[in-house]
Amino acid sequence: MTCGRCFARTKRLELHERNFRCEACGFADSRDRNAARVILAVAERGHVGVEDVRQSDHLLRVGGSVAV
Ligand SMILES: [Zn+2]
C-alpha cells in the first residue's frame, strides 16, 4: 500500500486491518480514505500506474463516491 501523504510504499495490509499507518511519516487514516488520497494525488499528477488503476477500480465499486 502507498502512503497518501509521503507516498512511501508500506507493507500490505491484512484484510481485517481497517486502518492504514505509514511507517515512514507516521500518517494514519482508514485504509479506504488513504487509498482515495493516493488515487486523487496520482490522478492530479497525470500518471497512473497499473496498481493504482486496480485500486481505483476497487474503490469505485465499493465506495461509489470516488470519481477519478
Ligand atoms: Zn507516509
Side-chain angles (χ1 to χ4, degrees):
M1 217 169 177
T2 303
C3 174
R5 187 162 81 179
C6 74
F7 298 99
R9 292 278 177 170
T10 65
K11 69 180 177 68
R12 185 172 292 275
L13 293 175
E14 299 297 330
L15 284 176
H16 67 272
E17 294 185 82
R18 299 303 302 165
N19 294 317
F20 171 87
R21 188 172 188 284
C22 177
E23 295 173 358
C25 72
F27 172 73
D29 205 340
S30 78
R31 63 186 294 173
D32 290 339
R33 280 169 52 92
N34 178 71
R37 286 170 62 101
V38 173
I39 291 162
L40 289 173
V42 170
E44 285 175 358
R45 293 177 184 198
H47 51 82
V48 178
V50 172
E51 187 174 338
D52 297 305
V53 170
R54 206 163 55 210
Q55 288 181 352
S56 67
D57 184 54
H58 169 74
L59 266 187
L60 284 170
R61 271 186 269 140
V62 174
S65 61
V66 178
V68 178

